[in-house]
C-alpha cells in the first residue's frame, strides 16, 4: 500500500446511497468536498435526482447500480470505482435489508437473501476495497442497535446478520491494520416508519434514557467522527440515545 495524494479529492463510496439515511450520508460527504460514488440497488430515479442536485452544487458524483445479493456485485462495484477514479479512500456500507421474518415461518430463501446483503456483501466489499485503498483508507459499516438486543422474534435473521457484521468489523480491523481503519456505527431509531403508531413510539422512547428519537444527522456525525479519528479502529459506536443501557 502507498500513501494517497493529499492534493486530490477523496473518493467516498456509499452503498445504498440513493435514499433515506444513505442519501443523507452521500450529501454530507459531497458537502465536505469528496468525490462521491452513489451505489443503489433498485432506486434509479432517486439516485439520479440526488446526483443531479449535488452536481448542480458543484460536486463530482458517480452513480452505479448493483444488486448486492449477487455474488459478484461487491467486486464489480470496486472495479468500476477504480476504473473511473483510480482510488478509493472511504467506504461506507449503508445498504441493508430488514424484513419481518416471524420465527416458525422463516424460509431458507429469506435467510439467504438477508445474509447475502447484510453480511456477505459487506465482507467482500471490504476485502475488495482494502486491496485498492492507500494508507489512511477508512471503512465504516452500518450495523444496527438490534444487533445487541434479543427481544424481536420477528427479526431474527436481520439481528443475526447485524450481530455478525459487528464482530466481523473487529476481525477485519485487525487484519488490515495499521494501514486501513475499520469501524461501525450501530444506530437506534433515527427514521421511524410513517406507519409507527404513537403508542409504539412512546413504548420505544420509554427505553431510551435520552428520551428522544434520533435523527439522520446523529448517525452522520458519528460516521464523520470515525472517518476523521486516526486512532480509532475496530469500534462499534452505538448511536441509540443510551437504549443499550436498558437492554
Amino acid at each position: 500500500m502507498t500513501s494517497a495524494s493529499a492534493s486530490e479529492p477523496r473518493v467516498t463510496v456509499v452503498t445504498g446511497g440513493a435514499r433515506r439515511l444513505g442519501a443523507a450520508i452521500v450529501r454530507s460527504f459531497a458537502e465536505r468536498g469528496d468525490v462521491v460514488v452513489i451505489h443503489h440497488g433498485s432506486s434509479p430515479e432517486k439516485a439520479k435526482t440526488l446526483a443531479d442536485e449535488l452536481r448542480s452544487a458543484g460536486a463530482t458524483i458517480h452513480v452505479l447500480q448493483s444488486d448486492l445479493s449477487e455474488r459478484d456485485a461487491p467486486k464489480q462495484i470496486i472495479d468500476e470505482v477504480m476504473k473511473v477514479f483510480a482510488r478509493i479512500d472511504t467506504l461506507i456500507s449503508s445498504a441493508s435489508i430488514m424484513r419481518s421474518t416471524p420465527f416458525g415461518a422463516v424460509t431458507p430463501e429469506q435467510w439467504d437473501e438477508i445474509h447475502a446483503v447484510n453480511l456477505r456483501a459487506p465482507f467482500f466489499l471490504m476485502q475488495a476495497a482494502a486491496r485498492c485503498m492507500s494508507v489512511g483508507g477508512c471503512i465504516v459499516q452500518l450495523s444496527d442497535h438490534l444487533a445487541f438486543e434479543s427481544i424481536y422474534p420477528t427479526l431474527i435473521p436481520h439481528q443475526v446478520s447485524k450481530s455478525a457484521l459487528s464482530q466481523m468489523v473487529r476481525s477485519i480491523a485487525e487484519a488490515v491494520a495499521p494501514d486501513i481503519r475499520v469501524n461501525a456505527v450501530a444506530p437506534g431509531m433515527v427514521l421511524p416508519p410513517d406507519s409507527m403508531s404513537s403508542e409504539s413510539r412512546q413504548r420505544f422512547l420509554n427505553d431510551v434514557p435520552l428520551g428522544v428519537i434520533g435523527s439522520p444527522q446523529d448517525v452522520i456525525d458519528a460516521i464523520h467522527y470515525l472517518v476523521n479519528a486516526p486512532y480509532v479502529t475496530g469500534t462499534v459506536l452505538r448511536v441509540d440515545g443510551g437504549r443499550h443501557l436498558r437492554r
Side-chain angles (χ1 to χ4, degrees), residues 46 90 98 215:
K46 291 184 181 297
T90 308
M98 182 177 181
S215 72

Side-chain angles (χ1 to χ4, degrees), residues 113-190:
E113 179 190 27
I114 290 169
H115 280 72
V117 174
N118 291 5
L119 188 60
R120 188 183 71 202
F123 175 87
F124 285 102
L125 276 166
M126 286 191 280
Q127 179 171 268
R131 291 170 176 160
C132 302
M133 284 179 165
S134 299
V135 172
C138 182
I139 298 171
V140 180
Q141 295 288 331
L142 266 291
S143 184
D144 194 318
H145 73 103
L146 296 175
F148 309 100
E149 300 184 15
S150 58
I151 57 170
Y152 294 91
T154 61
L155 293 170
I156 292 172
H158 174 82
Q159 288 183 277
V160 170
S161 71
K162 291 297 187 177
S163 179
L165 176 67
S166 298
Q167 178 57 46
M168 189 166 71
V169 161
R170 294 163 54 87
S171 300
I172 294 179
E174 174 69 23
V176 298
D179 297 320
I180 298 168
R181 295 182 301 106
V182 183
N183 293 289
V185 175
M189 188 179 295
V190 297

